[in-house]
Protein backbone atom coordinates (compact mmCIF):
# COMPACT_ATOMS: atom_id res chain seq x y z
CA UNK A 1 0.00 0.00 0.00
CA UNK A 2 2.77 2.47 0.94
CA UNK A 3 4.68 1.79 -2.26
CA UNK A 4 1.52 2.44 -4.29
CA UNK A 5 1.06 5.80 -2.54
CA UNK A 6 4.71 6.71 -3.19
CA UNK A 7 4.38 5.78 -6.85
CA UNK A 8 1.24 7.89 -7.16
CA UNK A 9 3.00 10.82 -5.46
CA UNK A 10 5.94 10.55 -7.87
CA UNK A 11 3.59 10.38 -10.85
CA UNK A 12 1.67 13.43 -9.58
CA UNK A 13 4.89 15.42 -9.08
CA UNK A 14 6.16 14.53 -12.55
CA UNK A 15 2.80 15.39 -14.09
CA UNK A 16 2.80 18.77 -12.34
CA UNK A 17 6.36 19.43 -13.53
CA UNK A 18 5.49 18.58 -17.14
CA UNK A 19 2.30 20.69 -17.02
CA UNK A 20 4.09 23.75 -15.58
CA UNK A 21 6.98 23.42 -18.01
CA UNK A 22 4.62 23.11 -20.97
CA UNK A 23 2.63 26.18 -19.88
CA UNK A 24 5.58 28.45 -19.08
CA UNK A 25 8.48 27.38 -21.25
CA UNK A 26 10.68 27.55 -18.17
CA UNK A 27 13.84 25.51 -17.94
CA UNK A 28 14.18 22.34 -15.91
CA UNK A 29 16.51 24.15 -13.49
CA UNK A 30 13.98 26.96 -12.99
CA UNK A 31 11.29 24.40 -12.20
CA UNK A 32 13.61 22.61 -9.76
CA UNK A 33 14.05 25.89 -7.87
CA UNK A 34 10.28 26.46 -7.86
CA UNK A 35 9.67 22.97 -6.46
CA UNK A 36 12.44 23.43 -3.86
CA UNK A 37 10.98 26.73 -2.67
CA UNK A 38 7.50 25.25 -2.42
CA UNK A 39 8.77 22.16 -0.55
CA UNK A 40 10.49 24.44 1.98
CA UNK A 41 7.36 26.57 2.36
CA UNK A 42 5.04 23.59 2.72
CA UNK A 43 7.34 22.04 5.34
CA UNK A 44 6.70 25.19 7.40
CA UNK A 45 2.94 25.12 6.85
CA UNK A 46 3.01 27.92 4.27
CA UNK A 47 1.12 27.93 0.99
CA UNK A 48 2.93 27.18 -2.25
CA UNK A 49 3.95 30.10 -4.47
CA UNK A 50 2.36 30.46 -7.91
CA UNK A 51 4.59 30.69 -10.98
CA UNK A 52 4.45 34.03 -12.80
CA UNK A 53 6.00 34.04 -16.26
CA UNK A 54 6.38 37.84 -16.36
CA UNK A 55 8.26 37.74 -13.05
CA UNK A 56 10.40 34.90 -14.44
CA UNK A 57 11.19 37.04 -17.50
CA UNK A 58 12.46 39.82 -15.23
CA UNK A 59 14.50 37.26 -13.25
CA UNK A 60 15.98 35.77 -16.45
CA UNK A 61 17.03 39.20 -17.72
CA UNK A 62 18.81 39.95 -14.45
CA UNK A 63 20.42 36.47 -14.40
CA UNK A 64 21.77 37.15 -17.91
CA UNK A 65 23.30 40.45 -16.75
CA UNK A 66 24.84 38.69 -13.74
CA UNK A 67 26.35 36.11 -16.12
CA UNK A 68 27.79 38.90 -18.29
CA UNK A 69 29.43 40.42 -15.21
CA UNK A 70 30.45 37.06 -13.77
CA UNK A 71 29.02 37.84 -10.33
CA UNK A 72 25.81 37.62 -8.34
CA UNK A 73 24.57 41.08 -7.39
CA UNK A 74 21.12 42.62 -6.94
CA UNK A 75 21.98 45.39 -9.38
CA UNK A 76 24.71 46.71 -11.64
CA UNK A 77 25.51 50.25 -12.78
CA UNK A 78 23.05 51.38 -15.44
CA UNK A 79 20.61 48.54 -14.75
CA UNK A 80 17.09 49.36 -13.50
CA UNK A 81 16.31 48.58 -9.85
CA UNK A 82 14.50 45.39 -8.88
CA UNK A 83 11.15 47.16 -8.62
CA UNK A 84 11.65 48.88 -12.00
CA UNK A 85 12.67 45.59 -13.67
CA UNK A 86 9.57 43.87 -12.30
CA UNK A 87 7.22 46.73 -13.22
CA UNK A 88 8.71 46.82 -16.74
CA UNK A 89 7.87 43.11 -17.06
CA UNK A 90 4.22 43.94 -16.35
CA UNK A 91 3.90 42.62 -12.80
CA UNK A 92 1.85 44.73 -10.37
CA UNK A 93 2.95 44.00 -6.83
CA UNK A 94 2.46 45.01 -3.22
CA UNK A 95 5.64 43.38 -1.85
CA UNK A 96 8.80 42.30 -3.62
CA UNK A 97 12.05 40.53 -2.71
CA UNK A 98 14.88 38.80 -4.52
CA UNK A 99 17.46 36.06 -4.03
CA UNK A 100 20.57 36.01 -6.23
CA UNK A 101 23.42 33.51 -6.27
CA UNK A 102 25.85 31.70 -8.50
CA UNK A 103 26.99 28.14 -8.13
CA UNK A 104 27.88 24.95 -9.89
CA UNK A 105 24.66 22.95 -9.55
CA UNK A 106 21.02 23.22 -8.52
CA UNK A 107 21.26 21.06 -5.38
CA UNK A 108 24.20 23.03 -3.93
CA UNK A 109 22.48 26.35 -4.67
CA UNK A 110 19.19 25.19 -3.11
CA UNK A 111 21.06 24.14 0.03
CA UNK A 112 22.93 27.47 0.19
CA UNK A 113 19.71 29.47 -0.15
CA UNK A 114 18.21 27.58 2.79
CA UNK A 115 21.38 27.96 4.93
CA UNK A 116 21.46 31.73 4.42
CA UNK A 117 19.15 33.51 6.92
CA UNK A 118 18.24 36.32 4.48
CA UNK A 119 17.59 34.02 1.52
CA UNK A 120 15.64 31.61 3.71
CA UNK A 121 13.54 34.50 5.04
CA UNK A 122 12.61 35.47 1.48
CA UNK A 123 11.69 31.88 0.64
CA UNK A 124 9.56 31.53 3.78
CA UNK A 125 7.97 34.99 3.71
CA UNK A 126 4.25 34.33 4.39
CA UNK A 127 3.29 37.58 2.64
CA UNK A 128 4.54 36.38 -0.76
CA UNK A 129 2.25 34.49 -3.15
CA UNK A 130 4.13 34.48 -6.46
CA UNK A 131 7.57 33.55 -7.80
CA UNK A 132 9.56 33.84 -11.00
CA UNK A 133 12.98 32.21 -11.38
CA UNK A 134 15.69 32.90 -13.92
CA UNK A 135 18.68 30.62 -14.48
CA UNK A 136 21.50 31.34 -16.92
CA UNK A 137 24.46 28.99 -17.37
CA UNK A 138 27.84 30.43 -18.31
CA UNK A 139 31.23 28.79 -18.05
CA UNK A 140 29.94 25.91 -15.95
CA UNK A 141 28.31 28.24 -13.44
CA UNK A 142 24.59 28.79 -12.86
CA UNK A 143 23.52 32.38 -12.27
CA UNK A 144 20.22 32.21 -10.40
CA UNK A 145 17.62 34.86 -9.60
CA UNK A 146 14.50 34.13 -7.56
CA UNK A 147 12.02 37.01 -7.60
CA UNK A 148 9.22 36.85 -5.04
CA UNK A 149 6.12 39.03 -5.05
CA UNK A 150 2.78 39.61 -3.47
CA UNK A 151 0.82 40.58 -6.56
CA UNK A 152 -2.06 43.05 -6.71
Amino acid sequence: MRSEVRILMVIAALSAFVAIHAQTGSSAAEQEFLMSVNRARQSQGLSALRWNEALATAARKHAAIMAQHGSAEHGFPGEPSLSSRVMQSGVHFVWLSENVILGSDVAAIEAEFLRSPKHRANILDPDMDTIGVGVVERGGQLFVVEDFAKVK
Side-chain angles (χ1 to χ4, degrees):
M1 181 70 167
R2 284 186 176 162
S3 63
E4 290 173 356
V5 170
R6 285 187 202 140
I7 291 170
L8 290 174
M9 289 175 64
V10 169
I11 291 170
L14 287 172
S15 296
F17 173 80
V18 169
I20 290 170
H21 180 71
Q23 291 172 353
T24 66
S26 59
S27 72
E30 291 167 352
Q31 289 305 307
E32 286 183 58
F33 284 108
L34 168 66
M35 290 187 297
S36 173
V37 164
N38 282 334
R39 275 192 308 272
R41 289 177 63 83
Q42 290 171 334
S43 75
Q44 299 298 309
L46 299 169
S47 61
L49 298 177
R50 291 185 311 271
W51 182 264
N52 183 292
E53 188 59 26
L55 200 55
T57 297
R60 286 183 198 114
K61 287 179 182 178
H62 185 61
I65 291 171
M66 290 185 348
Q68 288 173 343
H69 284 84
S71 68
E73 304 289 337
H74 289 284
F76 294 94
E79 181 187 23
S81 67
L82 169 60
S83 60
S84 293
R85 293 190 310 259
V86 169
M87 285 188 292
Q88 288 170 2
S89 74
V91 176
H92 303 283
F93 59 89
V94 177
W95 302 110
L96 190 63
S97 65
E98 180 177 68
N99 287 346
V100 299
I101 197 167
L102 70 95
S104 59
D105 65 75
V106 173
I109 292 169
E110 288 174 340
E112 183 61 31
F113 273 154
L114 292 172
R115 274 194 301 270
S116 162
K118 290 181 181 180
H119 291 119
R120 184 178 177 83
N122 286 340
I123 290 168
L124 299 178
D125 186 338
D127 291 327
M128 299 301 178
D129 59 15
T130 307
I131 187 172
V133 180
V135 178
V136 172
E137 189 277 330
R138 181 172 179 220
Q141 293 288 326
L142 298 177
F143 294 82
V144 180
V145 177
E146 294 178 335
D147 285 342
F148 304 91
K150 169 125 179 116
V151 295
K152 290 183 182 180

